[in-house]
Amino acid sequence: MYSLLTEHIEIDREQRSVRCDGETIHLTGLEYGLLDYLSSHANRICTREAILDHVWGKTFRYDTGTIDVHLNALRRKLGFSRSHPIETIRGIGFVFHIEQAATLYTIDLQAFLIEWLRRHDAEITAKGLVAQMHLTPFVNEITIEPKALRQMLDSVLSALLPSSQPGILRLSSKLTIQYFILSLEISGTINELRIPIYGDFAES
């Protein structure tokens, strides 16, 4: 599934495909890796060392202009200028500027879910439900607009509670390459929310 990076550029991370104004752009593996990594860390400085580790691999240690060569080719293919949306921070690294990312926030999931359960404690208790929460140990946070996450959770809760029977309510989670999957289980019935993630959580 394609998602917008800029007004003209779309990326499909599952298919490793990029389009510009609807036309497929043919990128080399390293060019795609650069775009994927920088855009996944939008509005954050990505150091040259981190880029080499994630795009070229941890065994590749020598940057003798390699990044710049591939980045210039990437900019040329996508019609980017030398400073936008990928800006060079001299002596440090690069920043991929995405305006949409400014509305996203990194959320502490455990604190958010505890607060969500507390707010709905009366509803849950009235149904004779016992709430339990489990987070995958290495998943501590995701990046999303908080209001959107709250609306999704409230929507699931309102749909389930009217017909739910007394039992155990469990919240659990897992992380995939593309999504943070939040599962809400009531009396053995599992409902999932697939929340798109922004960022690299592989080493969280």
Side-chain angles (χ1 to χ4, degrees):
M1 179 183 299
Y2 282 94
S3 58
L4 281 175
L5 289 183
T6 70
E7 183 180 357
H8 301 282
I9 305 299
E10 300 172 283
I11 187 170
D12 182 338
R13 288 189 164 87
E14 292 184 359
Q15 300 298 322
R16 294 177 62 86
S17 179
V18 176
R19 295 192 305 206
C20 179
D21 293 328
E23 297 291 330
T24 300
I25 303 297
H26 298 287
L27 302 179
T28 67
L30 290 174
E31 289 166 359
Y32 175 85
L34 271 172
L35 180 65
D36 181 48
Y37 183 73
L38 291 172
S39 62
S40 294
H41 294 76
N43 298 336
R44 286 181 280 177
I45 295 177
C46 298
T47 65
R48 288 178 175 272
E49 181 179 8
I51 292 170
L52 288 174
D53 283 349
H54 286 85
V55 180
W56 272 261
K58 293 184 180 294
T59 58
F60 189 91
R61 286 296 176 188
Y62 302 100
D63 177 21
T64 56
T66 300
I67 294 177
D68 301 271
V69 169
H70 288 85
L71 185 57
N72 286 338
L74 176 64
R75 284 171 169 153
R76 187 168 57 253
K77 289 182 179 181
L78 299 182
F80 291 169
S81 70
R82 292 185 62 84
S83 60
H84 188 79
I86 303 174
E87 179 185 4
T88 299
I89 308 299
R90 188 178 297 275
I92 301 176
F94 307 89
V95 177
F96 194 106
H97 296 285
I98 298 181
E99 292 181 4
Q100 296 94 316
T103 62
L104 301 174
Y105 302 89
T106 299
I107 297 174
D108 182 319
L109 278 173
Q110 183 168 339
F112 187 94
L113 293 177
I114 287 174
E115 174 63 16
W116 183 77
L117 288 171
R118 185 191 67 78
R119 284 174 178 265
H120 295 284
D121 182 64
E123 299 166 72
I124 293 169
T125 301
K127 286 293 183 178
L129 300 173
V130 178
Q132 296 182 349
M133 183 177 68
H134 172 262
L135 287 174
T136 305
F138 59 87
V139 180
N140 298 314
E141 56 186 33
I142 60 171
T143 302
I144 193 173
E145 206 286 310
K147 183 178 179 181
L149 178 57
R150 187 176 292 108
Q151 287 175 339
M152 286 190 286
L153 289 171
D154 289 347
S155 176
V156 170
L157 191 68
S158 64
L160 291 175
L161 283 178
S163 60
S164 65
Q165 300 296 317
I168 299 294
L169 177 153
R170 294 188 181 90
L171 283 171
S172 60
S173 71
K174 66 179 179 179
L175 186 70
T176 69
I177 294 176
Q178 295 293 324
Y179 298 98
F180 174 81
I181 300 175
L182 185 67
S183 299
L184 179 62
E185 178 181 352
I186 296 182
S187 302
T189 301
I190 299 177
N191 294 266
E192 288 188 348
L193 288 175
R194 289 176 172 261
I195 305 168
I197 61 171
Y198 301 81
D200 182 1
F201 298 97
E203 298 182 4
S204 296

